[in-house]
Amino acid sequence: MASLSIHGMKGSTCTRRILATAEETGAPYKFVLVDGMKGEHKQPEYLEKNHPFGRIPFINHGDLHVYESWACTRYIAEVYDKTGTFYPKDPKVRAIAEQWISVLQSYYPAEKIVYELYFNQFTKTPTNQENLKKADTELKSTLAILDKHFAK
């Protein structure tokens, strides 16, 4: 099988999502640092070749190139999760898994909080307290719904 390479920054929540999926599914991979602190992901060659929106992470697997962490995790799970315990094979069970993945994509603002509290320090951007407060409120609301659902 072709080798899988995961390109990103280990401090990035999106990169960590892909790395966790690779680890959980037993996918052999090579990690390649993209130094966002140096702006590597904003360079013209990177934009042309790797991610047209200038973001990280992305993966390469043989001749396949995929960006956007959720797409990358789904692909890795599909290829490497042979048991179907990480990414269900049954369409009905998978639909429910996809539902909760969509909830995380749409309603879980942890990445906004990480950006405000972590990445802003590197770009010397002041923390936007209004954005942080809004994300905190949204996170608490989402977690309350998740707690209620999964307590059943």
Side-chain angles (χ1 to χ4, degrees):
M1 181 174 278
S3 65
L4 173 67
S5 60
I6 300 171
H7 303 250
M9 286 179 45
K10 288 193 177 178
S12 157
T13 54
C14 294
T15 301
R16 293 175 68 83
R17 178 180 300 121
I18 296 172
L19 292 169
T21 302
E23 291 291 333
E24 288 291 324
T25 60
Y29 67 91
K30 173 179 72 169
F31 179 76
V32 180
L33 175 66
V34 176
D35 195 339
M37 296 301 117
K38 292 182 180 175
E40 288 179 14
H41 60 306
K42 300 297 184 184
Q43 299 305 309
E45 182 181 350
Y46 183 93
L47 295 167
E48 180 67 31
K49 183 179 174 186
N50 300 316
H51 198 310
F53 299 101
R55 303 280 175 91
I56 55 173
F58 67 89
I59 64 170
N60 287 323
H61 192 221
D63 63 353
L64 177 69
H65 177 83
V66 179
Y67 56 86
E68 292 304 312
S69 63
W70 291 104
C72 296
T73 58
R74 286 179 173 101
Y75 173 77
I76 293 169
E78 183 69 34
V79 172
Y80 290 100
D81 180 21
K82 302 303 181 195
T83 65
T85 55
F86 189 77
Y87 198 55
K89 303 295 183 201
D90 178 275
K92 289 181 179 179
V93 178
R94 182 177 281 193
I96 299 302
E98 288 290 345
Q99 170 186 280
W100 289 109
I101 291 169
S102 294
V103 165
L104 288 174
Q105 289 174 296
S106 300
Y107 309 109
Y108 190 74
E111 291 166 2
K112 294 175 187 174
I113 294 169
V114 170
Y115 186 84
E116 286 294 337
L117 294 176
Y118 180 72
F119 287 108
N120 278 357
Q121 67 182 318
F122 296 107
T123 59
K124 299 190 180 7
T125 304
T127 299
N128 184 318
Q129 293 299 324
E130 186 177 318
N131 287 348
L132 191 58
K133 185 176 179 180
K134 182 179 175 185
D136 182 60
T137 300
E138 186 179 346
L139 178 63
K140 287 175 182 170
S141 173
T142 300
L143 291 175
I145 293 167
L146 292 172
D147 284 345
K148 182 178 176 183
H149 175 79
F150 289 114
K152 295 179 185 177

